[in-house]
Amino acid sequence: MGRPKKIDDADLLAAAREVFLERGPVGAAKEIARRAGISEAALFQRFGTRDALFFKAMMPPSFAAEELVLRAAADAPDARAALAAITRGALVYFREAIGSALVMMSHPEFKLAEIARAHGGGNPGATLIRALAHWLTREAQAGRVHCPDPQASADLVVAALHSVVLFEHLGIYDREAGDARALAAIDALWPALEPRPSPGIRKEKPHGKR
């Protein structure tokens, strides 16, 4: 019977991710082992090579985009509040995922297809676009938004989130400013999405005016 592991894979990968985020793909295995509380030999027994450990640790997490959208829509009083809630939830995810992806792309063996394969053939950004477009379509059908092109609107929201997170990594925004700019992007988009009155309903003129 083998000896029990002193640290589970999730904790080991978390320690590796910390080091790779700090130092890039050349993060020292010795430092990872030290933070994880195991030997370098035990580290490589688990993952084989440093590159294998790197890609396992830095793979962006999966994203339950449809769940986020449905939960925000159920909890929000109206479509505009739901869109703001979706934005805040997605921003939390993209901060983690894009940080990992930027470090992954600096590795000479990086292949974008590996991210897609790990996420069932797609990628988290595309997953959010689809979920958001489907929600906008339903909201438009119910008359709660005006959205002739749900796909384009979803593209704009996700592009804005990506830009905000990239600007944070570049030092242009801090987190607080990033939160504000993401919600400001939704405010800028909302006039195009705001529901229109039915063309069959005429507004009454104030009394005394012809």
Side-chain angles (χ1 to χ4, degrees), residues 18-148:
E18 283 183 358
V19 174
F20 289 132
L21 283 171
E22 292 171 7
R23 304 185 182 184
V26 298
K30 183 177 182 180
E31 176 62 14
I32 295 169
R34 185 189 69 78
R35 295 192 191 188
I38 62 174
S39 68
E40 286 187 68
L43 180 67
F44 291 121
Q45 283 174 0
R46 299 268 194 103
F47 295 97
T49 66
R50 185 177 65 181
D51 286 349
L53 173 61
F54 171 79
F55 286 112
K56 183 75 172 177
M58 300 311 298
M59 181 63 64
S62 59
F63 183 33
E66 185 70 30
E67 180 182 334
L68 167 66
V69 171
L70 292 176
R71 185 173 65 249
D75 293 342
D78 54 41
R80 184 171 186 170
L83 190 56
I86 293 166
T87 296
R88 287 191 290 269
L91 193 60
V92 171
Y93 173 79
F94 282 126
R95 279 173 172 150
E96 179 179 2
I98 291 176
S100 295
L102 289 173
V103 176
M104 284 184 76
M105 287 187 289
S106 67
H107 194 288
E109 299 300 320
F110 170 76
K111 294 180 178 64
L112 185 59
E114 295 300 321
I115 293 181
R117 188 176 299 113
H119 290 90
N123 66 68
T127 300
L128 178 60
I129 289 171
R130 284 195 301 272
L132 193 52
H134 290 161
W135 174 72
L136 287 169
T137 298
R138 295 192 297 269
E139 291 296 291
Q141 291 169 347
R144 290 187 287 268
V145 299
H146 173 76
C147 193

